[in-house]
Structure formats: C-alpha cells, structure tokens
Amino acid sequence: MTIRLFAAALLSAAAVCGSASAQSVYSQVTVYNGSGVSITAVFAGPSSQPDWGQNTLDTSQVAPGEDLVITLSNEDGECLYDLRYDFADGDVYEEYEVDICEADGQRFEITSDSGVK
C-alpha cells in the first residue's frame, strides 16, 4: 500500500484556510479511508513529545469507505502533532509536525494507489 504526503496535504490546506481556526481549543480533521484496508489504530501526540500518545480510535477499526474524525486538543497552544496510522495488513503510515490548528475542519482521503487527496 502506498500512503504518502498526508502532512503536505494538510499543510497545503492550511495555507488556504487561514488562521481563524487557531482560536479553538480543539481541532478536528476528518480522514476518509479510501485505502482498501482497515485502519486498526491511530496514535496522535504533540510533536514536542517523545511518544505517539494514545490510540484515538473510538471503535475497533475504520473500514475502507468510512470516515474517521480525529479530535485533538490545542489547549496548551500546541498545534504541531505527529500522527501514526496502523493498518490491518501490517502497514504503518507516519506523519510529522502536522499543524492541526490550521487544518481544523478539513477532510482528507487516504488511498492505496495515490497517497492522500
């Protein structure tokens, strides 16, 4: 499975969004699983921390064709997060320094053949 450039897509979207969403205490990003493989875990934590943080999935997995809404706190002014997606086939996708404040409210798609849209 080829999954790539999600962080770049988020940062590109951030440039279009403006900074009004940075005032919120929580940021939400919706990820559509178009990969054809279930997502079994999503770990998210501030980039300034050494670990991935907790699994943010409220369900056991995100099946292909389903949306995943990731809600993260930026209460402490922390907008840069590292994200890790684990897939049922054993693949792992990691992204670093995603600006969740700027990407708040955006929807992205993870695909197996073309990366992130």
Side-chain angles (χ1 to χ4, degrees):
M1 173 181 353
T2 303
I3 301 174
R4 54 199 151 98
L5 301 178
F6 185 47
L10 282 176
L11 294 174
S12 295
V16 175
C17 291
S19 62
S21 63
Q23 304 303 317
S24 176
V25 174
Y26 293 95
S27 295
Q28 283 190 336
V29 176
T30 302
V31 178
Y32 173 75
N33 184 4
S35 71
V37 179
S38 292
I39 299 171
T40 57
V42 178
F43 299 93
S47 297
S48 62
Q49 300 299 314
D51 60 18
W52 286 105
Q54 296 181 338
N55 182 356
T56 64
L57 283 184
D58 291 334
T59 61
S60 61
Q61 63 182 8
V62 180
E66 292 183 346
D67 280 327
L68 164 65
V69 177
I70 301 171
T71 303
L72 300 169
S73 172
N74 58 19
E75 184 174 13
D76 297 327
E78 181 76 56
C79 289
L80 297 180
Y81 270 71
D82 296 339
L83 299 159
R84 174 183 161 152
Y85 302 87
D86 292 356
F87 292 86
D89 64 0
D91 280 350
V92 173
Y93 175 65
E94 299 172 354
E95 54 190 339
Y96 301 92
E97 297 186 353
V98 176
D99 189 333
I100 62 161
C101 297
E102 293 294 330
D104 186 32
Q106 297 297 305
R107 183 174 189 263
F108 303 93
E109 178 178 358
I110 294 178
T111 63
S112 59
D113 58 338
S114 62
V116 175
K117 297 180 181 177

